[in-house]
Structure formats: C-alpha cells, structure tokens
Amino acid sequence: MPRIAHLYRYPIKGLSAEMLDSMTLSASEGLLVDRVYALARPETVFDEAHPQRLPKTRFLMLAKNSELARVASRYDAATGLLTLDHPVGKLTADLGNARDRAAVEDYFATLLADTLHGDRPRLVAGSDSHRFTDASIVSADMMRAISIINLASVRDIADRLGTDVHHLRFRANIYVDDVDAWSELDWVGHEIDLGGVRVKALVPTGRCAATTVNPRTGERDIRIPKELQAHYGHINCGVYAAVRSDGTIRIGDQVTVDDQAAPEQP
C-alpha cells in the first residue's frame, strides 16, 4: 500500500531541508513555515508590507548558487533562531532582530562573494499567505501548493543512470513509497488522501538546474533535466498538490488516490 516515507520543509528558500516526523497542512495556507524567508538578490525590490509574487530568479537559489547546498541550516519557528553551518563558519541569528538579520546577509555576501561580486543579498520575510516557492509566480494556489515525489521514480532514474541519486535533489515536502515508478504523473487532476488529509494534484513538477546539485557536496554532478528528457521524453518528476482539508500527516501514513478526477474548484 502506498505510504508516506519522508516529510520535509524548507523555511529559507534555497537552504537545506528540515526533516519532520509529522506535518500540519492547512487548506487556506498549505504547509506552514515552508519557504517563508528568502534571500533577495541585491537588485531585487521586495516590499514585505506589500508582497508581490516574483520569479525565483530574483532570489538566491540552488539553480544559480550551488554553494548554498553546503550550508546546513536550521530554523526554530518558536524562537525565531536560525542556525547556519558551513566550512567558512557558523552563525546563530534571531530573525526578529534587525542586527542579526544583517549578520545573516553579511554571512551570505561573504559565502557567495565570487558570484555576488561584493554585493549583499537581503533577507526578506513572507507570511503564511505569501511564500517564496518556485511556482509562486503562477498563482496564489500554486504558491501554497505542496510538492510530492515518488521514491520509486527516483530509484528508476538512478537505475537508468547507473549512479546514486539522492531524493533530496528534488526538494519535495512529501516523499511517498510502495507505488509504481512514475505513476504519480497520472495523479494530476485527482484528489489524494494523505493519512486523512485531502490534497489535489495540480500539475507535474518540471525539474530545473537545482536538481543538478548534489545535496551532500554542492557539486553539479548529474544533469537531471537533460537525463530526464533523454530517458523519458520529459523533464517532470513529482507533482504539485493543493491542500483541500486541514490536518496532520505522519511518516507511515497511507496514501490513497481517487479513481476519478476531481472537479475544478469554483
């Protein structure tokens, strides 16, 4: 029976995943504390008081800044403390404090000095209604969508390439297992029961250059989009899903896909 194998959130866009044992989902807000902060590129204009949806290229991201993969980050939503750890140094900062936020910006200005050419990124905050997801520019529904990956599909890619492919390359929120490889692409348009919480698969997830980065080393070592196109005739892996009911899901929960496609929301 299909089941939930892993759960993750990414409080800071482009930084490391936080593994969870359980995850609370909301029909109105999606996954809380997921991509709720971002590091805006020096030239990006973003008003926290009046947030606008911007393309992912306006922020630091793995697709362009592979060194971010070597930063181990941890954010405590209860205290507001962000911990960063990289060979260049460690930093603990209170994101509610202006001086500490400036220290975070300085940290990444130093880390990415070669690509930012001495300029300084700006740490910006969204909210539970405004996230810095890759699909945020598409619509509000997509901004709050969660991402689902089928581990069998990841294993199939690894088999085709003859090398290890770590599932965290795909930076999903929910990883499912015990389901046929690539069957998740047929879920689009269907509602899915995740341990009692209803979601609807919206679109397949087209993969970008972020997946070329090894999450363990920060090296660009596998051209995932090109390999997907060569072996499968598309660049999709996983689906985006809109949350349709409130509740908490846990590792090991059963996954059930409705046979009939769900009607469109009004």
Side-chain angles (χ1 to χ4, degrees):
M1 182 65 68
R3 60 182 175 83
I4 295 172
H6 304 291
L7 296 170
Y8 298 94
R9 71 179 181 189
Y10 306 79
I12 318 292
K13 180 177 181 62
L15 298 190
S16 58
E18 293 186 1
M19 182 182 293
L20 304 174
D21 295 322
S22 64
M23 175 183 289
T24 299
L25 300 176
S26 163
S28 61
E29 298 174 351
L31 171 60
L32 304 185
V33 199
D34 187 58
R35 279 91 169 185
V36 76
Y37 286 96
L39 288 153
R41 298 186 62 81
E43 69 276 10
T44 298
V45 176
F46 181 82
D47 184 353
E48 292 184 0
H50 303 91
Q52 292 182 310
R53 299 196 300 268
L54 296 176
K56 62 184 180 180
T57 53
R58 305 297 290 275
F59 305 95
L60 299 187
M61 58 175 183
L62 283 174
K64 287 190 174 182
N65 310 107
S66 60
E67 190 64 20
L68 295 175
R70 299 182 66 207
V71 180
S73 63
R74 187 74 187 175
Y75 177 65
D76 186 332
T79 64
L81 291 180
L82 173 67
T83 302
L84 304 171
D85 190 357
H86 182 276
V88 302
K90 297 181 180 180
L91 176 68
T92 298
D94 178 357
L95 298 192
N97 179 285
R99 181 176 295 179
D100 280 15
R101 286 177 68 152
V104 172
E105 295 167 354
D106 289 339
Y107 184 94
F108 285 99
T110 300
L111 180 67
L112 302 175
D114 290 346
T115 56
L116 294 179
H117 308 295
D119 289 331
R120 189 165 173 254
R122 186 163 66 97
L123 181 66
V124 293
S127 65
D128 288 332
S129 60
H130 187 95
R131 311 294 180 78
F132 301 103
T133 59
D134 283 359
S136 64
I137 195 67
V138 177
S139 66
D141 209 19
M142 285 294 290
M143 174 183 285
R144 296 187 293 271
I146 57 173
S147 53
I148 303 174
I149 287 284
N150 177 3
L151 288 173
S153 300
V154 177
R155 290 192 293 268
D156 190 63
I157 296 170
D159 289 344
R160 295 285 186 100
L161 302 185
T163 189
D164 177 64
V165 176
H166 198 288
H167 63 271
L168 281 180
R169 282 182 186 267
F170 301 95
R171 299 181 63 79
N173 300 122
I174 300 170
Y175 290 82
V176 300
D177 210 349
D178 298 333
V179 61
D180 291 341
W182 304 107
S183 60
E184 72 279 9
L185 299 183
D186 296 327
W187 297 354
V188 172
H190 294 252
E191 285 205 352
I192 306 165
D193 186 291
L194 300 171
V197 177
R198 304 289 292 181
V199 305
K200 180 183 176 181
L202 299 175
V203 293
T205 307
R207 308 319 312 197
C208 71
T211 57
T212 68
V213 180
N214 187 317
R216 293 170 173 153
T217 67
E219 297 177 355
R220 295 190 187 276
D221 56 2
I222 305 176
R223 301 179 303 172
I224 291 292
K226 290 186 177 180
E227 296 291 0
L228 287 171
Q229 186 65 50
H231 289 277
Y232 304 101
H234 59 73
I235 61 169
N236 300 320
C237 186
V239 295
Y240 283 115
V243 181
R244 296 303 192 213
S245 68
D246 301 341
T248 300
I249 61 177
R250 297 171 176 81
I251 292 175
D253 280 351
Q254 182 176 314
V255 176
T256 306
V257 181
D258 288 356
D259 292 333
Q260 300 296 320
E264 292 296 324
Q265 290 283 93

